[in-house]
Amino acid sequence: MMRGLSKVYQRFSLFYISPLTPPLFLSLNLNPLSSPAGHLRTQSSRPFKTVTTMTADRLHHLVPVNSVAAENGGGPNDSLSPSSDFIYTEDEENLGGKYRLPPPEIKDIVDAPPLPALAFSPHRDKILFLKRRALPPLAELARPEEKLAGIRIDGRCNTRSRMSFYTGIGIHQLLPDGTLGPEIEVHGFPAGAKINFVNWSNDGRHLAFSVRVGEEDNSGKLRVWVADVETGKARPLFQSPHIYLNAIFDNFVWLDNSTILVSTIPSSRGDLPKKPLVPSGPKIQSNEQKHVVQVRTFQDLLKDEYDEDLFDYYTTTQLLLASLDGTVKEFGPPAVYTSLDPSPDRRYIMLTSVHRPYSFIVPCGRFPKKVDVWTTDGKFVRELCDLPLAENIPIAFNSVRKGMRSISWRSDKPSTLYWAETQDGGDARVAVTPRDIIYTQHVEPLEGEEPEILHKLDLRYGGISWCDDSLALVYESWFKTRQTRTWVISPGSKDVTPRILFDRSSEDVYSDPGSPMLRRTATGSYVIAKIKKDNDESTCVLLNGSGATPEGNIPFLDLFDINTGSKERIWESDKEKYYETTIALMSDQTEGDLYLNQLKTLTSKESKTENTQYYIQSWPDKKPCQITNFPHPYPQLASLQKEMIRYQRKDGVQLTATLYLPPGYDPSKDGPLPCLFWSYPGEFKSKDAAGQVRGSPNEFAGIGSTSALLWLARRFAILSGPTIPIIGEGTEEANDRYVEQLVASAEAAVEEVVRRGVAHPSKIAVGGHSYGAFMTANLLAHAPHLFSCGVARSGAYNRTLTPFGFQNEDRTLWEATSTYVEMSPFMSADKIKKPILLIHGEEDNNSGTLTMQSDRFFNALKGHGGQCRLVVLPFESHGYAARESIMHVLWETDRWLQKYCVSNTSDVSADDSKDNVSKDATDSENKAVAASGGGGAELVNFEHEGLDLMPRSLL
């Protein structure tokens, strides 16, 4: 992972700014409903008989002239809450299969034009503004795609499917005074081009990027273009119009300032393989050898020989060496190359490829893997390894593949390799010392020269930050104990004993010392920056930390002496109003030592109501110079109220949440509001760590396209991210008391917002995405006295369908049967009486959250008379992307909240027994027999729910 992050950082040096946020299944019905492609599938447990008119106070805040006007043509002085005109009628409620728009006050925020992404040049003297469009139309997601070996492929473009893109590139000079020069627009490519993979040459004089135009024929395939940075003039890299980029895996890389190695579709590739009308035989899997193979049932796997042929067809690459002068030559044989990694001196390149035999039970990341080294002029040097198929990696956390792994180049050396090898056979359950050994070797060793042992580790290797022969930092960690250690080593001095620099719990954010800041070298690699004071020979580095404290995060920069451990805080974020962070060094473009009084950094600054802007800060006066002036992305909510609140669970665990209130709201005058509780549980090994404060009260309120914060515009109080720690101290497993701790955390949060007078006790809704949806269903089952209704998106509700672990649970169903059963809201479908809205993408590819989970959960609820509604979004995956889908999700959610939260007049705790919290274990275990929904009559795919694939801020 460290190598991958470093590679991305070195090649792109990007930081992203999302359009709306600061910096981008169970049914008892054996006959599933179907719907025409492209139409919503909605099911409801009963027809609606009432007409609900939404009521909300109006927001009296002007919209700046640069905002986008509403579709109805309203001007900036029009009401932002025209709810008196927005009525949910009976016809609308009963009409399924049509896409809807949410109320204008929500829709206008989501439709706001996106802000650009930024990318600095290698010499930090120029900055790219990468322009983007708003949400994509559903038609783009509806394009045919192949699901092969765990990836999804757009066959027409020969890329991963559902790729986003840039619409334009603007280049600005960063002037000596810190301001930006006029924009130079990159031009020359066709109108409407979709741009991807923007990449600087090492000298900063050229850009390389891919362009695609039209997607109905070969013109939709990607071609590589280059642009002159001074003029902005762009042209195709290849003179031939028939050379296309193969962008399934790695795409292209600069080898020097005028030469690019490109992954292309082989010119000799024939027609698409045809699927046989009649198979050659049955599909057979066998384990007659009695191997123990516990695989988490991944999605989109290869199914047969035809799929294997398709995978080869789309992923096989011919590498081409292309010069800016038009010279082109083939590089190596065609293969399924997955990574192109040049050495820092650009004399060698490491090529990683996968090959047959493929597997039908694991994705392509576990296929046989071969790593070779070539010279950059096309001569084979040597094979580093050829690893066999890895179907049997144990499911225990920290288990890894056998053999050489994490092979990379030392960033402080011209062409030296390093890697790790496990000593426990890859099985984290095996006790052994050392557990990992790190090796290093020159790319072309002398005959008979063996790899050198660099360091031995008792935990699992986690990467290296290189500086020079006198300094490198080695990281190791162990999930079960949350222990993480940082070692100081001297790679060039065998007589210097490695020593532990930091040994702490990864959960203990208060003790986090920060990470070393990196500087760019002349070759384009990144190493730890050594900082000197005048007339001081000590070895100091800059530690960039989040600065977690009981009052919230206060980011810092510490000047840290590696040898003595002494540190000096040279910069700290404002504590009162602003939240500031250090992003990167900007004074690293020259050779030689870096001096503190010449330091220059890129920083960000934001507040509760002011969106993120970027600054150049120069020492010694530390005066910041603002380089961006982005408009507020949602001025309607510019004066929203935000507070980080703290309260206590009944077992003494300290909890936190962020409370948002609408602009202009005064609890003493306006009274309590309807409230939306939106969260996601987390597992901890320590009560103290679980109670620590994470985040800052001064951070800007980032609102994603499906964020709960959108309902601030509908006059809701939003309780965002109330901590729900599931704690298992010592040898105790956290999930053995999941329901008890879940309910206790929710009770404490609800009691706090009611005590404050900001939430009406009968009008509190609960919601979440993925594991948050699982939480939502459990709370409605076991704490119905707290909530009026729930919204559950893309969740998994029957843990017996994830039998080889889920989330942070690595025990199997057969090892922890009662835990799996008691945690499954499907088993308590008969207890869920509060209204629940289920939403799921029809093409969900996240491990564990099959669409079937929501289908079957809905039918279980319906079979017990539960008030429920299921919305299945065509073409959508685990997170939702298309504008039509997102708008409809918001419409469904708003309608649900207005009907069952805002309009709720009953006391939610009346007649709701809290005894649901304590379940009868024997009864639960009996229910497990029917968990598959058919008493064994139906074949069920067991799935494992992995950690979320989406940034939490966008959920």
Side-chain angles (χ1 to χ4, degrees), residues 633-704:
Y634 22 90
Q636 311 92 307
L637 298 177
S639 57
L640 61 79
Q641 303 172 55
K642 174 185 176 182
E643 181 183 358
M644 185 174 286
I645 63 175
R646 301 193 69 179
Y647 48 97
Q648 185 171 288
R649 204 164 73 178
K650 61 185 179 182
D651 60 0
V653 176
Q654 292 293 318
L655 304 177
T656 62
T658 305
L659 176 64
Y660 293 91
L661 299 170
Y665 169 72
D666 184 342
S668 63
K669 296 179 181 178
D670 303 327
L673 297 171
C675 177
L676 178 55
F677 173 115
W678 197 270
S679 191
Y680 191 102
E683 293 84 0
F684 291 86
K685 293 299 294 181
S686 159
K687 288 183 179 180
D688 290 340
Q692 292 181 352
V693 176
R694 292 162 173 83
S696 167
N698 296 326
E699 286 181 272
F700 181 68
I703 302 180

Side-chain angles (χ1 to χ4, degrees), residues 458-483:
D458 287 335
L459 308 181
R460 188 63 79 202
Y461 167 70
I464 300 179
S465 293
W466 298 95
C467 183
D468 52 32
D469 271 340
S470 67
L471 175 63
L473 301 181
V474 181
Y475 308 101
E476 62 173 338
S477 63
W478 197 246
F479 176 78
K480 274 290 187 184
T481 61
R482 306 303 197 269
Q483 184 181 11

Side-chain angles (χ1 to χ4, degrees), residues 158-282:
N158 222 98
T159 66
R160 299 291 182 99
S161 61
R162 305 164 185 251
M163 279 204 323
S164 59
F165 57 87
Y166 302 114
T167 58
I169 304 173
I171 305 171
H172 291 267
Q173 184 80 26
L174 187 59
L175 302 176
D177 63 358
T179 60
L180 298 181
E183 180 179 89
I184 299 173
E185 185 177 359
V186 176
H187 59 280
F189 47 78
K194 299 177 179 179
I195 300 168
N196 289 98
F197 312 124
V198 182
N199 206 321
W200 289 94
S201 64
N202 192 42
D203 61 4
R205 296 177 58 190
H206 291 91
L207 296 173
F209 50 92
S210 70
V211 167
R212 53 187 158 127
V213 183
E215 296 176 352
E216 301 306 319
D217 50 32
N218 276 343
S219 64
K221 289 185 169 60
L222 280 66
R223 299 186 64 198
V224 180
W225 284 59
V226 291
D228 184 287
V229 171
E230 293 301 321
T231 65
K233 175 64 176 176
R235 62 175 177 83
L237 174 64
F238 299 106
Q239 295 179 4
S240 169
H242 304 298
I243 299 178
Y244 300 109
L245 186 67
N246 189 331
I248 304 299
F249 294 113
D250 217 344
N251 40 74
F252 59 84
V253 60
W254 288 92
L255 296 184
D256 58 38
N257 294 324
S258 61
T259 309
I260 306 176
L261 186 64
V262 185
S263 298
T264 68
I265 298 172
S267 59
S268 59
R269 186 172 80 171
D271 294 332
L272 189 71
K274 293 183 178 180
K275 186 170 186 176
L277 294 177
V278 178
S280 60

Side-chain angles (χ1 to χ4, degrees), residues 283-482:
K283 299 175 182 178
I284 298 172
Q285 297 186 51
S286 175
N287 192 36
E288 295 180 57
Q289 299 82 10
K290 299 183 180 181
H291 296 310
V292 177
V293 180
Q294 298 181 343
V295 294
R296 295 163 178 173
T297 314
F298 305 99
Q299 299 194 51
D300 300 341
L301 301 178
L302 300 177
K303 299 179 292 297
D304 50 33
E305 292 179 2
Y306 173 69
D307 275 0
E308 291 182 308
D309 293 341
L310 274 184
F311 181 78
D312 278 337
Y313 178 83
Y314 285 118
T315 60
T316 297
T317 287
Q318 175 61 63
L319 299 177
L320 295 182
L321 203 59
S323 296
L324 297 185
D325 62 9
T327 304
V328 177
K329 74 172 184 177
E330 290 187 352
F331 189 106
V336 183
Y337 294 108
T338 59
S339 176
L340 318 175
D341 194 3
S343 61
D345 63 4
R346 295 308 201 257
R347 291 182 57 202
Y348 302 91
I349 185 160
M350 185 164 51
L351 303 180
T352 303
S353 59
V354 298
H355 60 82
R356 297 188 184 224
Y358 297 147
S359 171
F360 299 151
I361 64 173
V362 293
C364 58
R366 296 194 184 183
F367 287 177
K369 181 169 73 170
K370 190 168 179 280
V371 183
D372 295 328
V373 175
W374 293 63
T375 63
T376 50
D377 59 1
K379 296 177 182 177
F380 177 77
V381 176
R382 65 170 171 140
E383 177 186 293
L384 296 180
C385 65
D386 192 350
L387 304 178
L389 180 65
E391 289 185 334
N392 60 346
I393 298 176
I395 63 171
F397 287 106
N398 287 125
S399 294
V400 296
R401 190 173 194 156
K402 298 176 185 177
M404 297 174 68
R405 73 179 198 278
S406 302
I407 309 172
S408 191
W409 302 100
R410 277 186 59 167
S411 55
D412 63 326
K413 290 290 185 180
S415 50
T416 298
L417 295 161
Y418 70 100
W419 65 92
E421 293 187 30
T422 180
Q423 306 301 299
D424 56 15
D427 190 346
R429 295 169 298 187
V430 174
V432 65
T433 183
R435 190 172 292 277
D436 272 336
I437 296 179
I438 307 168
Y439 295 92
T440 184
Q441 189 176 47
H442 188 267
V443 67
E444 292 195 73
L446 298 176
E447 185 175 352
E449 182 182 350
E450 294 295 322
E452 176 186 341
I453 294 178
L454 183 68
H455 194 43
K456 297 180 180 181
L457 300 170
D458 287 335
L459 308 181
R460 188 63 79 202
Y461 167 70
I464 300 179
S465 293
W466 298 95
C467 183
D468 52 32
D469 271 340
S470 67
L471 175 63
L473 301 181
V474 181
Y475 308 101
E476 62 173 338
S477 63
W478 197 246
F479 176 78
K480 274 290 187 184
T481 61
R482 306 303 197 269

